[in-house]
Amino acid sequence: MNERMLGLGSKRSVIREIFEYGKRRAQEVGAENVFDFSLGNPSVQPPAIVAQTLEELLKTEDPTALHGYTSAQGDLSVRKAIAGYIASSYGVPADPDFIYMTCGAAASLTITLSALCNAGDEVITFKPYFTEYKVFAETAGATLVALPSEPDTFQIDFSALEQAIGPRTAAVLINSPNNPSGAVYSEATIERLAAVLRERSQRLGRTIYLITDEPYRELVYGGVRVPYVTRYYPHSVVCYSYSKSLSLPGERIGYIFVSPKAAEAKKLYLAVCGAGRALGYVCAPSLFQKLIARCQGAVSDVSAYERNRDLLAGALRSFGFSCVQPDGAFYLFVKAPGGDANAFCERAKGFGLLLVPGDDFGCEGYVRIAYCVSHAMIERSLPAFEKLAKACGL
Ligand code: PLP
């Protein structure tokens, strides 16, 4: 048996543990007394166009083709629709021959990392980071090197980055809007990152690729823009997913877009096809490929998340908690009073509040609160947060 796989399968993620605890606890004390902020499962329903398109497809398309295998990289008409959308929305060159349909961002990342890395390579990312990055990088034979971010803004700490890049650096992996901090990298951050990667790639004689994990691209508030990285750095691979933008996390649909201007773009795309094959993905779900082709540009009601953010962040601050205002995604990353996030989460449980310690995201002393829940639950949870603040001496 493979010991590493056994280890991964035997140990549930901290988030899943908390979620399972919440379900047990709800049976004991009643669901109305448990405020589960653990999971990043969208609470906003998919936009109406999703159900309409599904109905239309089922009524009008040949079922054998609709549910059949597509080519491994995805149906050509679907890839054309996506390439057209990328080119017209972001003003960058895009081509269906550089798009590979996947089962969501997790698959996009495992495939991209396997396509790019050889044993002994390093992949640099920034804290806090999505907990599965380490698993994905190690599956590709690489080591994840997690660097600190700027403390108050969660933008990139460039001196840490410059020190960390070395001959083994295969890629830098970013996630903006970020899970769990909610930070969005500014244009200045992306421009500076591109300049550092360009200069270092040249000095090392090795192209350092930029991988961008973008399931939250459209979930931004107050007019904040998410720069499209291929405009700034050609050697980029975009790992996209419809899990959050269309509230379809269980349907497993997304794509990889290799910038056609990347060094050895054609070879990299072939390596992506090879990695998808080696990992046994076969093809992304056929029905949902065809669905998302007709839903380009549609997004779930982001204003519902913004309302949640405003209510929760405002209330928590008024109770004395401290957190950076998230510009995107649907998480608050709150400083744990006293600095011990695990102890704070245990104390929160006593008030029915299920929060996730930041340790798993590489950031001790913080907790993540997923506000992709109903507005009513947030309203009901506020007295519990107030009591928690008092119990912490705030
Ligand atoms: N990357 C980040 C930052 C995420 O938060 C998630 C899911 O929560 C994923 C990737 C995986 O998303 P998907 O459902 O598209 O596989």
Side-chain angles (χ1 to χ4, degrees), residues 34-214:
V34 179
F35 309 111
D36 186 351
F37 292 97
S38 64
L39 272 194
N41 212 3
S43 56
V44 172
Q45 60 183 19
I49 189 175
V50 166
Q52 284 158 15
T53 309
L54 207 45
E55 221 172 288
E56 215 172 81
L57 285 168
L58 290 169
K59 266 197 204 140
T60 58
E61 297 294 309
D62 164 20
T64 327
L66 191 59
H67 301 293
Y69 292 123
T70 66
S71 57
Q73 65 267 45
D75 185 87
L76 179 59
S77 68
V78 175
R79 290 183 287 121
K80 275 186 181 159
I82 293 172
Y85 180 75
I86 293 173
S88 64
S89 305
Y90 307 117
V92 296
D95 186 313
D97 289 342
F98 290 92
I99 287 175
Y100 182 92
M101 301 307 298
T102 66
C103 303
S108 301
L109 289 165
T110 48
I111 292 171
T112 301
L113 289 166
S114 293
L116 272 174
C117 297
N118 286 294
D121 278 345
E122 290 178 352
V123 176
I124 292 177
T125 197
F126 302 94
K127 299 176 187 179
Y129 61 90
F130 181 54
T131 49
E132 298 300 278
Y133 286 174
K134 193 167 181 297
V135 178
F136 298 161
E138 288 173 3
T139 300
T143 305
L144 187 74
V145 177
L147 304 179
S149 296
E150 292 293 345
D152 293 323
T153 59
F154 294 114
Q155 299 283 314
I156 291 173
D157 174 341
F158 281 98
S159 64
L161 175 63
E162 294 200 26
Q163 275 177 39
I165 292 177
R168 281 152 39 127
T169 308
V172 170
L173 166 56
I174 59 171
N175 167 225
S176 163
N178 183 268
N179 170 11
S181 73
V184 175
Y185 285 165
S186 65
E187 185 172 40
T189 294
I190 298 296
E191 277 172 347
R192 195 165 165 197
L193 175 61
V196 169
L197 295 183
R198 231 179 251 120
E199 189 267 325
R200 286 310 186 90
S201 296
Q202 197 165 22
R203 212 190 309 165
L204 290 165
R206 163 179 199 171
T207 303
I208 302 169
Y209 287 90
L210 177 60
I211 305 171
T212 168
D213 177 22
E214 308 207 331

Side-chain angles (χ1 to χ4, degrees), residues 104-106 130 175 179 213 215-216 241 243-244 252:
F130 181 54
N175 167 225
N179 170 11
D213 177 22
Y216 302 98
S241 162
S243 289
K244 319 285 172 166
R252 315 309 302 142

